[in-house]
Amino acid sequence: MSWAALTSGGKDSILAVQKAIDAGMQVTHLVTVVPENTESYMFHSANLKAVPVMAARCGAEYVEIRSKGVKEQEVEDLEKGLADLGVEGIIVGAIESEYQRSRVAAVCDRLGLKLFAPLWKMDPLTLMHEVASRLDAVIVVCAADGLGDNVLGKKIDEKLIDVLLAVHKSRRIHLAGEGGEYESLVLNAPCFSEPIHCSEMKFSYEGLRGEVMIERFW
């Protein structure tokens, strides 16, 4: 049975891919929705140029779906992009977002596809420890009070989890960033044939939002 994984290259979706592979599932496609709107309700937009390289590292086919990122219409764009892939199931990295999970589940139902969401309702702290132990992931966007130079561009390890825990307790952010408080990028995982390499990280801030911009991946 072949599976396509929805991924922006972040920790949750890549950990979901890894768990699928651990379970003996055949991940044949990495699918990225590229939204024109950086405030998309469903999809991330930062450093998506890394995903084709990730697909190559995983021995999977890269599929890009373009979307204007308009609420609800972007779900239709996703459905059209998945309709002719020839896979039997979709993998997602949703943790607690019913908005995301329910819409992908509805798309799968309409297309007759199975849904695999191995992180769904996983304890956020347990998830973060697994990310730290299994993946080389860095935070590339922060968008919440209390997050800035203390996390941006830094690897998710046990020390950084302590920083996020402190902000979680004082500002009530979601520890795993499920509310959009931060976004991550995976540079290595057990399912990669070798790590992702990247050009220099450049930092940009606008209000509460900080972003790491990377020009090239290989």
Side-chain angles (χ1 to χ4, degrees), residues 8-21:
S8 63
K11 61 177 176 55
D12 302 330
S13 53
I14 295 301
L15 184 58
V17 169
Q18 185 61 57
K19 286 180 173 293
I21 292 172

Side-chain angles (χ1 to χ4, degrees), residues 144-161:
D145 190 25
L147 299 181
D149 289 339
N150 56 342
V151 300
L152 197 61
K154 292 182 167 54
K155 179 179 178 179
I156 297 176
D157 55 15
E158 294 300 326
K159 183 177 179 181
L160 190 70
I161 292 173

Side-chain angles (χ1 to χ4, degrees), residues 22-159:
D22 292 345
M25 297 162 62
Q26 185 180 11
V27 182
T28 56
H29 298 74
L30 294 192
V31 179
T32 296
V33 177
V34 180
E36 292 180 16
N37 176 16
T38 58
E39 302 299 322
S40 164
Y41 282 80
M42 285 280 291
F43 307 110
H44 295 173
S45 60
N47 294 299
L48 296 181
K49 290 185 288 187
V51 185
V53 183
M54 293 182 189
R57 295 288 196 274
C58 292
E61 180 180 342
Y62 171 69
V63 176
E64 182 174 295
I65 300 172
R66 290 278 172 175
S67 173
K68 291 189 179 298
V70 177
K71 188 177 181 180
E72 300 305 341
Q73 183 181 322
E74 60 189 359
V75 180
E76 296 176 15
D77 296 334
L78 173 65
E79 184 170 343
K80 290 175 184 175
L82 295 178
D84 298 319
L85 282 189
V87 298
E88 297 165 272
I90 302 297
I91 301 164
V92 295
I95 306 168
E96 293 179 12
S97 172
E98 183 59 35
Y99 181 91
Q100 181 190 65
R101 192 207 64 81
S102 64
R103 281 157 178 78
V104 176
V107 168
C108 288
D109 285 344
R110 289 192 292 270
L111 296 178
L113 301 173
K114 295 185 181 299
L115 178 65
F116 183 63
L119 311 187
W120 186 243
K121 297 301 182 182
M122 188 174 179
D123 173 69
L125 183 56
T126 301
L127 185 150
M128 293 302 291
H129 286 315
E130 185 167 356
V131 168
S133 66
R134 303 195 73 190
L135 307 180
D136 181 0
V138 295
I139 292 181
V140 292
V141 172
C142 61
D145 190 25
L147 299 181
D149 289 339
N150 56 342
V151 300
L152 197 61
K154 292 182 167 54
K155 179 179 178 179
I156 297 176
D157 55 15
E158 294 300 326
K159 183 177 179 181

Side-chain angles (χ1 to χ4, degrees), residues 156-177:
I156 297 176
D157 55 15
E158 294 300 326
K159 183 177 179 181
L160 190 70
I161 292 173
D162 288 341
V163 173
L164 292 170
L165 270 172
V167 180
H168 162 70
K169 291 174 181 177
S170 64
R171 309 296 173 89
R172 306 310 301 169
I173 68 166
H174 191 284
L175 183 60

